[in-house]
């Protein structure tokens, strides 16, 4: 017998690669037969059936019953399916003012959700970790999922993060407070943990499921309290050497902008300023509100109702947003800018006004301006999809031993 080629994979590695192929097909398909898996993977029938049997034993897949064939039709083909409940992923939006956690199965279906505000009087690293743990545990309890069944977690934070999920020292205590060691904290719980900048997660959500699916280069612009941009260029998320790509502190130095304050913050501040200055007309819907009730949705609703004072605020916002978008386009030449965050559902008229101003600020063609369909869930959708993506990538490492014995149950 001639020796195997020097670069040929070992039998154990080949089995693993074949198992990955079958599992990936199962993840992308609902119910399937061995023949369908053969056609998709190029593997032989015996290999597909053997790998399916191993993946069933390991808990990743199940064999599905089907109705018997009519008499004389022979034995029905076996049906296989990924077990959506083989494990779960947790997504977390650990924002400045709240923590939101969701639990999703391996098909990406959300099965549990919980949210807690951040108590400003106790906004410190230990308390943030405690609130986040509580929020996650309550979301798991709502889903009926034991923590031991969590395969991965992704956390979005309003801070820079490096490849390991750590945050570099910032100009003050804000960044370390926003990311008080989440990555190591959740790895100690035995979970595959990813910590990422919140705007980058918004960009991931748009690229996978939203307005970034059909364009090569775009920016997801979180626009609530502060501007932050997740940048995708030629299909790749741009992070920078320290995770600082898309950090909008540069806006401090842009004429006509002067700060990274977002649309939510500015609409609230300028709306209240107009109320208190007495410039609103007597029949102003905005003027009829208590000052404490004026926020971005109230300003946009009043502008839509024809309130001239609110319209003036929206015009100021359009000028500010156009300058921010011109900076992004001038540096990155993106096809589209997706305005994301809690303000997204109410910015339709604002984007139309902004687009007219932006056309005069940039070389044509100006980037298209669209509102995210995810609203306030942009970050949590990105976190959940990224956690699931990481689990899919490392599935066999999470569920199988990878040592000399090859396929075998993982000891927890």
């Amino acid at each position: 017998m001639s020796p195997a080629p020097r670069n040929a994979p070992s039998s154990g590695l080949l089995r693993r690669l074949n198992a990955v192929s079958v599992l990936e097909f199962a993840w992308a398909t609902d119910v399937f037969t061995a023949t369908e898996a053969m056609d998709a993977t190029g593997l032989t029938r015996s290999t597909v059936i053997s790998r399916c049997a191993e993946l069933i034993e390991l808990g990743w897949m199940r064999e599905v019953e089907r109705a018997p064939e009519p008499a004389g039709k022979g034995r029905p083909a076996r049906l296989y399916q990924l077990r959506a409940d083989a494990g779960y992923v947790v997504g977390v939006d650990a924002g400045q003012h709240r923590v939101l956690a969701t639990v999703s199965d391996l098909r990406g279906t959300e099965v549990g959700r919980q949210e807690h505000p951040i108590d400003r009087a106790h906004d410190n690293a230990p308390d943030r970790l405690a609130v986040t743990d509580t929020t996650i545990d309550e979301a798991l309890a709502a889903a009926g999922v034991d923590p031991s069944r969590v395969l991965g977690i992704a956390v979005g934070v309003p801070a820079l993060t490096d490849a390991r999920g750590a945050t570099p020292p910032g100009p003050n205590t804000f960044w370390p407070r926003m990311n008080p060691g989440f990555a190591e904290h959740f790895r100690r719980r035995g979970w595959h943990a990813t910590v990422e900048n919140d705007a980058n997660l918004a960009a991931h959500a748009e690229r996978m499921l939203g307005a970034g699916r059909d364009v090569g280069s775009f920016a997801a612009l979180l626009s609530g309290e502060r501007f932050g941009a997740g940048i995708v260029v030629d299909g790749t998320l741009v992070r920078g050497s320290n995770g600082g790509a898309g950090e909008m502190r540069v806006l401090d130095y842009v004429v006509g902008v002067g700060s990274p304050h977002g649309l939510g913050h500015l609409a609230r501040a300028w709306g209240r300023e107009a109320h208190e200055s007495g410039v609103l007309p007597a029949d102003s819907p905005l003027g009829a509100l208590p000052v404490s009730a004026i926020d971005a949705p109230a300003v946009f609703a009043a502008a839509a109702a024809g309130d001239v004072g609110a319209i003036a605020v929206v015009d100021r916002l359009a000028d500010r947003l156009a300058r921010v978008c011109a900076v992004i386009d001038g540096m990155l030449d993106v096809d589209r800018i997706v305005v994301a965050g809690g303000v997204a559902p109410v910015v339709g008229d604002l984007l139309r006004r902004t687009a007219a101003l932006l056309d005069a600020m940039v070389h044509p063609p100006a980037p298209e301006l669209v509102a995210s369909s995810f609203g306030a869930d942009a970050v949590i959708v990105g976190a959940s999809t990224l956690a699931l993506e990481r689990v899919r990538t490392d599935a066999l490492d999470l569920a199988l031993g990878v040592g000399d014995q090859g396929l075998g149950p993982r000891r927890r």
Side-chain angles (χ1 to χ4, degrees):
M1 177 182 297
S2 59
R6 179 172 298 179
N7 295 325
S10 66
S11 59
L13 176 59
L14 186 59
R15 288 173 62 199
R16 175 182 169 83
L17 294 174
N18 291 341
V20 168
S21 296
V22 172
L23 186 56
E24 275 296 303
F25 176 69
W27 225 304
T29 315
D30 186 9
V31 177
F32 64 94
T33 64
T35 298
E36 290 168 333
M38 289 167 54
D39 292 341
T41 63
L43 301 175
T44 65
R45 178 176 296 276
S46 61
T47 297
V48 166
I49 292 174
S50 295
R51 298 298 81 79
C52 284
E54 289 170 339
L55 290 167
I56 288 170
E57 182 180 357
L58 290 162
W60 281 103
M61 285 170 46
R62 60 164 61 95
E63 189 170 340
V64 182
E65 292 186 4
R66 69 185 301 170
E69 297 285 347
K73 292 293 185 178
R75 182 178 178 180
R78 294 176 178 175
L79 290 177
Y80 301 101
Q81 185 180 47
L82 176 78
R83 281 189 55 190
D85 62 351
Y88 295 86
V89 297
V90 174
V92 180
D93 178 2
Q96 183 176 355
H97 302 300
R98 64 154 189 174
V99 176
L100 171 64
T102 60
V103 182
S104 302
D105 66 20
L106 297 185
R107 290 290 188 190
T109 301
E110 184 179 306
V111 295
R113 171 181 286 240
Q114 186 56 270
E115 180 177 346
H116 279 293
I118 296 292
D119 181 357
R120 295 188 182 186
H122 300 90
D123 188 3
N124 54 62
D127 284 341
R128 273 188 169 268
L129 287 172
V131 169
T132 304
D133 274 336
T134 297
T135 307
I136 292 169
D137 289 341
E138 290 179 358
L140 289 169
V145 173
D146 188 273
S148 65
R149 302 192 67 198
V150 173
L151 297 178
I153 182 172
V155 184
V157 295
L160 272 61
T161 60
D162 62 20
R164 287 282 298 168
T167 291
N172 48 49
T173 63
F174 180 78
W175 285 348
R177 194 168 78 251
M178 294 300 103
N179 181 18
F182 281 130
E184 290 304 319
H185 178 74
F186 291 119
R187 286 168 190 147
R188 285 196 293 270
R189 293 190 68 167
W191 298 345
H192 188 290
T194 303
V195 179
E196 182 59 273
N197 172 262
D198 53 3
N200 286 347
L201 288 181
H204 185 76
E206 299 297 341
R207 180 174 57 176
M208 299 297 294
L209 302 171
R213 286 177 297 176
D214 61 341
V215 292
S217 300
F218 71 92
L221 184 63
L222 281 182
S223 308
E225 291 301 301
R226 296 172 66 86
F227 283 120
I231 308 296
V232 173
V233 174
D234 297 332
T236 301
L237 179 71
V238 179
R239 303 191 77 260
S241 57
N242 297 301
E247 174 64 23
M248 302 303 283
R249 287 179 297 168
V250 67
L251 298 179
D252 288 332
Y253 309 103
V254 176
V255 175
V257 180
S259 80
H261 290 317
L263 298 176
H265 173 95
L266 294 172
R268 181 177 65 248
W270 291 346
R272 293 179 181 185
E273 176 187 292
H275 187 288
E276 293 172 340
S277 68
V279 301
L280 298 176
D283 60 348
S284 163
L286 204 60
L289 294 174
V291 173
S292 61
I294 295 177
D295 56 12
V299 169
F300 289 115
D307 186 325
V308 296
I311 291 172
V313 171
V314 173
D315 283 337
R316 289 181 68 186
L317 291 170
D319 180 78
R320 178 68 62 92
L321 180 58
R323 293 172 187 271
V324 173
C325 292
V327 170
I328 294 172
D329 183 61
M331 291 189 298
L332 299 164
D333 189 25
V334 293
D335 301 305
R336 183 174 295 165
I337 296 177
V338 184
V339 175
V343 300
V346 295
V347 297
D349 182 57
L350 170 65
L351 296 189
R352 287 187 287 273
R353 294 169 185 260
T354 301
L357 297 173
L358 184 60
D359 281 340
M361 293 181 181
V362 302
H363 294 294
E368 181 186 11
L369 303 183
V370 301
S372 171
S373 62
F374 300 122
D377 273 0
V379 176
I380 199 70
V381 170
S384 297
T385 55
L386 182 60
L388 185 57
E389 182 180 280
R390 296 289 168 83
V391 167
R392 285 186 64 167
T393 300
D394 299 328
L396 296 192
D397 291 334
L398 293 171
L400 308 174
V402 293
D404 294 336
Q405 295 180 347
L407 295 174
R410 171 192 176 199
R411 291 195 179 97
R412 291 186 176 270

